[in-house]
Amino acid sequence: MTEHTPGYLIGNFTVTDPALMAEYGQKATPLVQAYGGEVTLTVSGLTPLEGQAHSTLVVIRFPNFAQAEAFYHDPAYGPVKELRLKATTGGFLALIPGLPA
């Protein structure tokens, strides 16, 4: 894994409070952008072909894994993360390294 290998934050959950989730999005977006991240995929109403999944899938791409980790662990993200936790149920959030370019 190099500094040129992208890092991804992937979330799969069910939104239970759309208004609170919208507030989360407004507050999280500037933090994501500060770390070079961009939302590459947001799907509501996901229909899995196999297995079980929650209805919302989000993929955020960062320039590298270190930037993805730094975003998630930024103290400024803590209170924003609480909004997401209150606005959703189930699922997961994961940081993963991408494939080398």
Side-chain angles (χ1 to χ4, degrees):
M1 189 166 39
T2 70
E3 68 181 61
H4 302 293
T5 302
Y8 293 90
L9 180 65
I10 299 175
N12 180 230
F13 41 77
T14 297
V15 176
T16 56
D17 186 334
L20 196 55
M21 193 64 180
E23 181 182 348
Y24 166 79
Q26 291 172 345
K27 293 181 177 181
T29 297
L31 290 169
V32 167
Q33 292 172 342
Y35 285 94
E38 63 177 317
V39 176
T40 60
L41 178 69
T42 300
V43 178
S44 295
L46 177 71
T47 303
L49 296 176
E50 297 180 14
Q52 295 183 355
H54 288 267
S55 61
T56 300
L57 178 70
V58 177
V59 178
I60 302 173
R61 182 181 191 273
F62 290 87
N64 54 57
F65 188 77
Q67 291 294 97
E69 278 188 311
F71 158 75
Y72 185 78
H73 295 294
D74 185 320
Y77 181 61
V80 178
K81 177 176 75 172
E82 289 301 316
L83 294 173
R84 178 181 48 78
L85 293 172
K86 289 178 184 175
T88 63
T89 188
F92 69 88
L93 195 69
L95 288 168
I96 61 167
L99 297 173

